[in-house]
């Protein structure tokens, strides 16, 4: 009875808000009423994201699916109804610009249960399922990477390619790319997927892979949620290392820093003993940030006096590298690390080393999250800017942005690391610069309302615009990662030679533009004029 009431209320809201005569029986026939919620806690949670930039965009209802079929039924109903409504999958809601939101439709809450109701209803798919012999794992699209890791470790296995932070959903990162310091070697996460189950914008449930529905498979990877909702992903695994030697070294000269980074990623075809497993780096424009929130690495026992390292133009660069190992090979790790370090040209006194279990290394950002949460500094606006910068222009970017626009002040970590383009499958929807090597530059800012102008949301948002304008004027053809655009032309320019295919497949798989409307790439078809 209560469920029926809840559903009726949801339907009434749909009718009232859309202002159209949606036939209530369409939703009643879904057969998923137990998972459709208008509980204010659910609706509020689904209306916000990590960015906290867009203001609340409350959906009409939130669905807690218990199976792929639930998702398919909902999308099919949206597609087939006379007037329709939008459907947005939401993983863990860690987007910045409302990409997982939809104000005029239903949010499908893929990860866990938000607000305490819903998915606990018992019919959750029996995932993750590890196939130890075949070395892959099947996971639910809303599974968080931390839980994927925990399941595979029980079999001594682990995925190969990661993000820095593991409380992100599989469907959410595969809709973008999923990158971290392993990408130079294994490619992004989207290069490590063997098969997907996807609910298209017509409500069809398709299995796709290299061999089966291959156009769909490649389109969905990096496809910003435009072609379907990923309900299952089959992810490649490798034997899990047990420990990690994690090293940071400093540079005051940018070209020495990037030369060393590029050298290290050029070793990707070498045997494991002759390369690092992880290559990242970050920029230090502000002394306070050497111990930024991404990880408290430098301990009070090895304090770093930045001024003594003679930063060039006030800026230092930190190369971050890691080598995985198994306890049985612990005797050779020192030697392997040493011979790799010998080839690098960092400031001699600036080697900082730590050693930890593999899981702790992968989950390093979560510790920082807990710390920030305890200080009330996690749930603040995040005007992040993530750019892929071609190798040939990274020095211009350094001069103009790190040593120029940022003006010795940032409001969060600035990551910088190179990747090999040949590790990215050009058939995916992800967009990268046209050079063999390109850099991720991630300005991971937090805006604070503490009276300091340089910490304010307005200041940081303006600075992002200034950086993009600078790149444009300086001929630095960057591509946004986790892109955010608001006009059709900007999206066409972003996808460039991938646009025609992107558009054609959108028309094929989601012709009513029902899915992931929060990305603002396609406008949902005027429902009344559709039929
Ligand atoms: P959501 O924000 O919930 O969704 C993102 C988009 O994907 C939306 O358009 C949504 O509709 C769509 N979507 C979600 N689930 C599905 C699905 N099952 N099927 C189809 N579409 C779906 N990224 C990296 O690559 N590397 C990093 O190291 C990294 N670190 C991060 C650290 C933090 C603290 C944060 C907040 C983000 C980080 N990101 C990183 C970015 C992150 O990968 C993206 O924001 C990603 O989309 C977040 O996943 P989510 O599950 O929260 O997605």
């Amino acid at each position: 009875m209560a469920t029926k009431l809840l559903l009726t209320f949801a339907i009434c809201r749909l009718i009232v808000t859309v202002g159209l005569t949606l036939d209530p029986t369409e939703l009643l026939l879904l057969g998923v009423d137990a998972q459709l919620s208008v509980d204010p806690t659910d609706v509020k949670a689904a209306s916000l994201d990590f960015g906290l930039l867009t203001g609340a965009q409350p959906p009409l209802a939130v669905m807690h699916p218990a199976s792929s079929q639930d998702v398919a039924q909902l999308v099919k109903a949206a597609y087939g109804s006379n007037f329709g409504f939008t459907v947005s999958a939401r993983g863990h809601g860690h987007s910045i610009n409302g990409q997982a939101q939809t104000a005029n439709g239903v949010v499908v809450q893929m990860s866990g249960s938000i607000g305490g109701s819903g998915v606990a209803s018992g019919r959750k798919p029996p995932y993750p399922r590890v196939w130890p012999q075949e070395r892959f794992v099947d996971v639910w699209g809303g599974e968080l990477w931390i839980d994927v890791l925990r399941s595979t470790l029980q079999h001594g296995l682990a995925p190969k390619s990661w993000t820095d932070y593991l409380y992100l959903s599989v469907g959410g990162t595969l809709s973008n790319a999923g990158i971290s310091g392993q990408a130079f070697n294994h490619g992004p996460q989207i290069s490590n997927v063997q098969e997907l189950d996807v609910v298209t914008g017509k409500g069809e449930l398709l299995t796709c892979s290299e061999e089966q529905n291959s156009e769909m498979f490649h389109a969905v990877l990096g496809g910003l949620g435009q072609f379907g909702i990923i309900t299952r992903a089959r992810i490649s695994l490798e034997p899990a290392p047990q420990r990690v030697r994690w090293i940071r070294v400093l540079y005051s000269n940018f070209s020495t820093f990037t030369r060393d980074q590029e050298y290290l990623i050029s070793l990707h075809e070498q045997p494991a003993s002759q390369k690092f497993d992880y290559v990242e780096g970050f920029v230090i424009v502000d002394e306070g940030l050497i111990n930024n929130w991404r990880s408290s690495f430098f301990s009070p026992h090895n304090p770093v006096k930045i001024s003594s390292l003679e930063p060039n133009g006030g800026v230092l660069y930190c190369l971050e590298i890691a080598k995985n190992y198994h306890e049985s090979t612990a005797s050779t790790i020192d030697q392997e690390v040493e011979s790799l370090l010998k080839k690098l040209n960092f400031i001699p006194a600036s080697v900082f080393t730590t050693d930890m279990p593999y899981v702790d290394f992968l989950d390093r950002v979560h510790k920082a999250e807990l710390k920030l949460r305890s200080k009330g500094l996690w749930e603040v606006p995040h005007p992040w800017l993530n750019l892929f910068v071609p190798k040939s222009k990274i020095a211009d970017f350094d001069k103009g942005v790190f040593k120029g626009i940022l003006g010795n002040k940032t409001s969060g970590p600035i990551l910088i690391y190179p990747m090999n383009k040949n590790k990215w499958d050009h058939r995916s929807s992800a967009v990268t610069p046209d050079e063999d090597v390109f850099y991720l530059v991630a300005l991971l800012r937090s805006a604070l309302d503490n009276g300091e102008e340089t910490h304010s949301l307005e200041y940081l948002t303006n600075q992002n615009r200034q950086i993009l304008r600078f790149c444009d004027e300086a001929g630095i053809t960057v591509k946004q990662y986790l892109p955010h655009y608001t006009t059709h032309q900007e999206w066409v320019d972003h996808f460039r030679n991938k646009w025609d295919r992107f558009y054609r497949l959108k028309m094929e798989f989601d012709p009513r533009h029902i899915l992931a409307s929060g990305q603002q790439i396609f406008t949902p078809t005027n429902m009344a004029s559709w039929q």
Side-chain angles (χ1 to χ4, degrees):
M1 178 65 178
T3 301
K4 264 257 167 355
L5 275 177
L6 205 64
L7 182 65
T8 310
F9 179 49
I11 294 163
C12 289
R13 268 192 86 211
L14 279 169
I15 298 167
V16 170
T17 313
V18 177
L20 299 168
T21 52
L22 178 69
D23 181 355
T25 55
E26 289 177 329
L27 281 178
L28 280 171
L29 292 173
L30 293 182
V32 292
D33 47 353
Q35 286 82 39
L36 198 59
S37 160
V38 289
D39 179 324
T41 317
D42 277 356
V43 170
K44 172 123 193 282
S47 73
L48 299 170
D49 64 19
F50 181 79
L52 287 180
L53 300 178
T54 53
Q57 303 276 322
L60 301 171
V62 178
M63 187 206 203
H64 297 277
S67 66
S68 305
Q69 285 72 23
D70 286 352
V71 179
Q73 280 174 318
L74 178 74
V75 180
K76 193 170 246 163
Y79 176 66
S81 76
N82 287 338
F83 295 98
F85 52 93
T86 52
V87 177
S88 280
R90 183 180 193 270
H92 213 212
H94 277 49
S95 292
I96 298 300
N97 299 101
Q99 285 93 335
Q101 296 168 1
T102 185
N104 282 318
V106 178
V107 163
V108 182
Q109 182 56 51
M110 296 293 289
S111 296
S113 151
I114 54 171
S117 60
V119 84
S121 64
R123 276 197 303 133
K124 216 174 166 222
Y127 297 137
R129 179 164 179 203
V130 180
W131 302 77
Q133 296 299 323
E134 294 82 0
R135 288 204 182 159
F136 56 68
V137 59
D138 282 319
V139 299
W140 171 244
E143 203 73 62
L144 299 186
W145 284 98
I146 181 73
D147 296 322
V148 178
L149 176 64
R150 286 183 185 133
S151 323
T152 60
L153 281 178
Q154 289 174 12
H155 299 264
L157 298 168
K160 302 171 187 175
S161 186
W162 292 98
T163 48
D164 292 344
Y165 174 66
L166 305 186
Y167 290 73
L168 304 170
S169 80
V170 168
T173 70
L174 296 185
S175 295
N176 286 291
I179 52 174
S180 182
Q182 303 84 9
F184 80 93
N185 198 21
H186 292 296
Q189 290 179 323
I190 54 171
S191 296
N192 292 277
V193 177
Q194 300 183 14
E195 194 175 274
L196 299 169
D197 284 345
V198 175
V199 173
T200 71
K202 296 176 180 171
E204 297 160 340
L205 179 57
L206 292 183
T207 297
C208 55
S209 64
E210 283 275 354
E211 292 80 31
Q212 192 183 357
N213 296 311
S214 64
E215 218 172 25
M216 178 62 157
F217 180 67
H218 295 299
V220 167
L221 296 170
L224 307 176
Q226 294 306 302
F227 309 105
I229 297 179
I230 300 167
T231 56
R232 178 186 61 98
R234 176 167 286 181
I235 293 154
S236 301
L237 303 175
E238 65 179 1
Q242 289 176 322
R243 296 196 65 82
V244 173
R245 183 68 52 84
W246 182 16
I247 300 153
R248 286 179 174 176
V249 294
L250 297 175
Y251 295 76
S252 56
N253 183 296
F254 186 71
S255 63
T256 314
F257 167 70
T258 51
R259 205 179 319 121
D260 279 359
Q261 278 195 322
E262 287 166 25
Y263 165 69
L264 290 174
I265 72 159
S266 76
L267 302 176
H268 61 94
E269 298 297 352
Q270 297 299 314
S273 61
Q274 292 167 37
K275 63 186 171 194
F276 284 109
D277 295 291
Y278 166 101
V279 177
E280 282 204 11
F282 57 92
V283 182
I284 305 161
V285 297
D286 177 342
E287 180 151 352
L289 285 173
I290 190 141
N291 240 342
N292 63 58
W293 61 255
R294 269 185 69 246
S295 55
S296 37
F297 178 94
F298 298 103
S299 74
H301 304 297
N302 53 19
V304 183
K305 288 211 171 49
I306 295 199
S307 45
S308 70
L309 299 172
E310 297 169 14
N312 177 355
V315 180
L316 277 179
Y317 309 94
C318 181
L319 170 66
E320 182 174 69
I321 41 199
K323 197 141 184 44
N324 303 336
Y325 67 100
H326 204 267
E327 262 145 25
S328 63
T329 60
S331 57
T332 56
I333 184 80
D334 291 341
Q335 210 182 320
E336 288 172 15
V337 166
E338 202 179 315
S339 71
L340 279 163
L341 289 182
K342 259 192 206 145
K343 310 225 171 76
L344 307 180
N345 293 295
F346 48 85
I347 301 170
S350 71
V351 186
F352 305 93
T353 302
T354 186
D355 200 288
M356 57 179 59
Y358 185 57
V359 183
D360 293 1
F361 173 73
L362 290 181
D363 199 24
R364 60 203 178 278
V365 173
H366 185 53
K367 263 197 199 149
E369 173 189 352
L370 297 177
K371 238 188 249 169
L372 288 181
R373 275 189 190 281
S374 71
K375 295 181 191 159
L377 294 175
W378 186 256
E379 285 171 15
V380 298
H382 293 104
W384 285 13
L385 183 64
N386 286 274
L387 299 172
F388 288 147
V389 183
K391 167 185 152 175
S392 65
K393 298 289 182 184
I394 195 68
D396 296 345
F397 191 94
D398 170 58
K399 236 178 270 159
V401 179
F402 303 146
K403 297 194 179 103
I405 293 171
L406 293 184
N408 252 10
K409 277 264 169 274
T410 67
S411 297
I414 306 170
L415 311 187
I416 172 170
Y417 58 90
M419 282 168 278
N420 295 306
K421 184 161 171 122
N422 65 2
K423 300 283 180 179
W424 292 63
D425 191 324
H426 66 90
R427 297 167 296 179
S428 80
S429 295
V431 176
T432 58
D434 284 335
E435 287 189 18
D436 292 348
V437 170
F438 58 89
Y439 281 78
L440 170 76
V441 175
L443 296 122
L444 308 179
R445 284 97 174 270
S446 299
L448 301 178
D449 198 5
N450 61 3
E452 267 200 55
E453 194 210 346
T454 55
H455 289 169
S456 71
L457 179 58
E458 193 187 350
Y459 181 89
L460 295 172
T461 309
N462 279 337
Q463 203 172 60
N464 285 346
R465 282 195 209 107
Q466 210 184 335
I467 291 168
L468 290 171
R469 207 175 321 121
F470 161 75
C471 290
D472 201 29
E473 288 167 6
I476 305 175
T477 45
V478 295
K479 290 288 176 195
Q480 283 191 34
Y481 178 56
L482 314 171
H484 171 58
Y485 297 108
T486 50
T487 69
H488 172 74
Q489 193 53 47
E490 284 171 323
W491 280 114
V492 174
D493 293 345
H494 172 74
F495 284 105
R496 234 170 40 118
N497 54 1
K498 288 192 175 184
W499 173 255
D500 288 348
R501 190 193 62 148
F502 197 86
Y503 181 83
R504 176 174 60 78
L505 294 176
K506 180 72 175 177
M507 295 309 121
E508 186 177 337
F509 293 115
D510 181 22
R512 288 189 80 173
H513 307 172
I514 287 166
L515 301 175
S517 53
Q519 294 277 5
Q520 301 185 55
I521 306 175
F522 298 96
T523 311
T525 308
N526 179 326
M527 306 300 182
S529 66
W530 166 254
Q531 295 292 326

